[in-house]
Amino acid sequence: MRVLTLNVNGIRSAASKGFLEWMRRQRPDFVCLQEIRAFPEQMPLRARRPRGYHAYFMPAERKGYSGVGIYSRVPADRVVRGIGYRPCDAEGRWLQIDVGDLSVVSFYMPSGSTPGRQPRKFRFMKRLMTHLRQLGRDGRSYVVCGDWNLAHKPIDLTNWRSNQKHSGFLPEERAWLDRLFSRAGFVDTFRVVDDNPERYTWWSNRGQAWAKNVGWRLDYQITTPDLASRARTASIYTRRRFSDHAPLVMDYDDIDR
């Protein structure tokens, strides 16, 4: 089972840069998209109805903002849009599809980098932890893919010392991830198969961050332990740029669906 996730920073922009053609060549079973920034009717047909895939979307209410999507080779048995928390759901930040005993989620964490947003991000994280703990106990297999706007450990960003007071690497945010991975029943599955440094998925557009690989690992595939034990490979594609993020592709042994 191959799962691909990417913050596309606008699905129309990523499509114009060749993302959809590249995606199909990877032959993923599931594709999780974040920050689609469009309603389905605004997307090119090849993004709205990609050949060989069923497409599901959760756009934000605000035009041109946020939103998530999932492409799946098999039709969903159930689609869940949102977590029942208005600040999350109005911005299109959680989309879940259930296929048999497997749940695939595309998720986009709010950023706290703009003025006044960090307290809102903390409130969101508190509500999300409650939701994730409930999911971790329901007996299903979960892969929660997305842009979490969080780096967990110093290995996950280049300038970790100077970023300890910046949103995305605050002590409170890292402690929240500690709780997620130690108490809520989820695993940072990328690190199960790849413990190498300088493995980033986002680079600032300022300076020469991309060229110098001055980045952050903000994009995760967070899974229940059963899926983590089935993870076999992980790759971050950096040969071409479709967005300011890079696609994260992970392969898992198949599970009965």
Side-chain angles (χ1 to χ4, degrees):
M1 180 179 73
R2 174 164 288 185
V3 182
L4 185 158
T5 186
L6 174 65
N7 178 322
V8 291
N9 197 15
I11 185 62
R12 290 169 289 186
S13 173
S16 72
K17 296 172 183 175
F19 167 67
L20 294 168
E21 291 75 17
W22 173 85
M23 177 202 83
R24 281 196 293 270
R25 290 196 294 273
Q26 309 315 303
R27 300 187 60 80
D29 296 284
F30 300 99
V31 179
C32 296
L33 309 174
Q34 302 85 47
E35 207 171 353
I36 57 176
R37 293 187 179 184
F39 298 112
E41 59 270 20
Q42 296 176 306
M43 300 176 190
L45 183 62
R46 66 185 188 279
R48 188 167 71 249
R49 299 177 184 173
R51 187 173 66 251
Y53 289 89
H54 302 268
Y56 306 93
F57 301 104
M58 175 66 169
E61 293 179 0
R62 175 179 160 190
K63 188 176 181 180
Y65 179 75
S66 191
V68 291
I70 298 176
Y71 298 148
S72 172
R73 286 196 177 276
V74 293
D77 299 324
R78 185 175 74 131
V79 180
V80 180
R81 292 180 171 89
I83 64 172
Y85 179 59
R86 175 70 181 169
C88 165
D89 300 348
E91 294 186 349
R93 295 188 178 276
W94 180 281
L95 175 63
Q96 172 183 329
I97 67 168
D98 295 346
V99 179
D101 295 329
L102 172 68
S103 293
V104 179
V105 176
S106 184
F107 168 66
Y108 182 31
M109 175 77 82
S111 171
S113 58
T114 54
R117 291 282 289 186
Q118 190 63 42
R120 189 172 180 275
K121 182 179 181 182
F122 281 141
R123 290 192 296 271
F124 181 94
M125 291 167 65
K126 182 178 180 180
R127 178 62 181 83
L128 178 64
M129 180 64 77
T130 299
H131 186 69
L132 289 169
R133 281 176 169 165
Q134 292 171 347
L135 298 185
R137 295 192 296 263
D138 73 5
R140 297 184 60 80
S141 298
Y142 282 90
V143 53
V144 185
C145 297
D147 175 3
W148 289 69
N149 268 312
L150 300 169
H152 188 203
K153 297 181 178 180
I155 193 176
D156 294 319
L157 70 166
T158 304
N159 297 316
W160 68 270
R161 288 183 177 87
S162 60
N163 277 295
Q164 292 179 87
K165 295 183 180 181
H166 293 169
S167 181
F169 200 61
L170 296 172
E172 301 92 330
E173 293 175 318
R174 287 178 278 142
W176 185 90
L177 285 173
D178 287 340
R179 293 192 298 274
L180 177 63
F181 299 140
S182 65
R183 304 178 192 172
F186 284 88
V187 179
D188 179 2
T189 305
F190 177 85
R191 287 301 183 200
V192 172
V193 295
D194 191 327
D195 60 358
N196 293 303
E198 299 184 356
R199 300 287 280 146
Y200 308 132
T201 63
W202 177 82
W203 300 261
S204 170
N205 288 320
R206 298 177 182 176
Q208 294 183 305
W210 168 264
K212 296 179 180 179
N213 196 30
V214 178
W216 295 56
R217 187 174 70 98
L218 299 179
D219 302 83
Y220 295 75
Q221 295 195 22
I222 291 175
T223 75
T224 43
D226 61 316
L227 275 182
S229 69
R230 295 174 180 268
R232 293 295 172 258
T233 65
S235 62
I236 299 170
Y237 180 76
T238 57
R239 289 182 60 190
R240 293 173 60 188
R241 296 199 77 183
F242 309 113
S243 165
D244 53 349
H245 291 250
L248 168 62
V249 183
M250 294 193 64
D251 290 325
Y252 303 82
D253 287 343
D254 285 336
I255 64 173
D256 294 333
R257 295 198 292 267

